[in-house]
Amino acid sequence: MSDQVSQIAMRIADLREASDLSVTQMAEACGIPEAEYISFEGGKADIPISFLIKLNEVFHVDMTELLTGEAPRLNVLSVTRKGKGQDIKREDHYVYKNLAYNFLHRKIEPLYVTIEPEENRELVPNRHDGQEFDYILAGAMRIMVGEHDIILNEGDSIYYDSRTPHAMQAHGGAPVHFLAMVIP
């Protein structure tokens, strides 16, 4: 597992212990099997965004702190220049860049997401609390939300209940780039 995943796992374990919660209590709070929670906290498995969002709710801690160990400091505005943002390096189907990582008390997680054509061929579903808005910036994306199978092209958008299992993949042989607004 990557060094970033190991560092995130260590922060999760520290937060759980500081909160005086057991592994069983955390697994229940996150709505996942205990073995899955143990693999995330132990740095043995890739940590999905949906799990990080759930940890934000449980610990009342900003995702930036979970990812970097540093608290965001800005509370009036945050500018993120083209090509910048906080990389969320994980061994997942998608490449994420958090576009407001340094803004304190965010109400949404604005993410720039890239999916390469060869990624998520099996359409492995994801789910997390809240809602999500995705806007296609370049390329085309196949998205499945529940039983719905939709192709989105540049300029198209979708808004959905992210508790519904959903999966995405690039469509048409080129990468897809999109803006995802995750609202916990």
Side-chain angles (χ1 to χ4, degrees), residues 2-3 5 30-31 52 64 70 75 111 152 158 164 169 172-173 178:
S2 74
D3 186 50
V5 171
C30 293
L52 294 173
T64 299
E70 296 181 19
N75 60 13
L111 304 168
L152 298 173
I158 185 170
T164 304
Q169 64 183 196
F178 63 100

Side-chain angles (χ1 to χ4, degrees), residues 30-32 48-54 124-130 132 160-167:
C30 293
I32 61 174
I49 282 286
S50 56
F51 180 71
L52 294 173
I53 290 170
K54 191 63 177 176
V124 176
N126 179 23
R127 62 187 301 164
H128 49 87
D129 285 342
E132 186 167 332
Y160 53 94
D161 181 337
S162 49
R163 292 173 298 183
T164 304
H166 55 281

Side-chain angles (χ1 to χ4, degrees), residues 8-9 12 26-27 29-33 36-42 45-59 63 66 90 126-129:
I8 294 167
I12 293 168
M26 280 304 302
C30 293
I32 61 174
E36 186 175 0
Y37 178 85
I38 289 168
S39 69
F40 294 153
E41 186 180 290
D46 186 35
I47 302 171
I49 282 286
S50 56
F51 180 71
L52 294 173
I53 290 170
K54 191 63 177 176
L55 291 176
N56 292 344
E57 297 169 15
V58 173
F59 292 129
M63 188 181 299
L66 286 172
R90 299 170 31 253
N126 179 23
R127 62 187 301 164
H128 49 87
D129 285 342

Side-chain angles (χ1 to χ4, degrees), residues 39-161:
S39 69
F40 294 153
E41 186 180 290
K44 304 289 185 227
D46 186 35
I47 302 171
I49 282 286
S50 56
F51 180 71
L52 294 173
I53 290 170
K54 191 63 177 176
L55 291 176
N56 292 344
E57 297 169 15
V58 173
F59 292 129
H60 305 288
V61 65
D62 192 277
M63 188 181 299
T64 299
E65 287 184 75
L66 286 172
L67 293 172
T68 68
E70 296 181 19
R73 296 178 177 90
L74 303 176
N75 60 13
V76 174
L77 66 92
S78 171
V79 174
T80 303
R81 299 292 181 194
K82 181 178 180 178
K84 302 297 181 188
Q86 180 187 53
D87 289 331
I88 302 174
K89 292 184 175 120
R90 299 170 31 253
E91 296 167 18
D92 198 357
H93 304 293
Y94 316 124
V95 176
Y96 299 94
K97 214 176 250 300
N98 191 315
L99 300 177
Y101 65 95
N102 55 1
F103 194 85
L104 190 61
H105 305 301
R106 290 184 305 281
K107 303 291 186 217
I108 62 169
E109 290 294 337
L111 304 168
Y112 181 87
V113 185
T114 302
I115 306 174
E116 295 295 332
E118 65 277 0
E119 294 298 324
N120 204 17
R121 283 286 175 220
E122 288 76 42
L123 281 170
V124 176
N126 179 23
R127 62 187 301 164
H128 49 87
D129 285 342
Q131 300 172 345
E132 186 167 332
F133 172 79
D134 299 332
Y135 180 85
I136 308 303
L137 299 168
M141 177 170 74
R142 177 181 178 200
I143 182 169
M144 293 191 69
V145 179
E147 301 298 317
H148 304 278
D149 190 345
I150 304 159
I151 303 295
L152 298 173
N153 294 295
E154 185 174 321
D156 292 344
S157 64
I158 185 170
Y159 191 100
Y160 53 94
D161 181 337

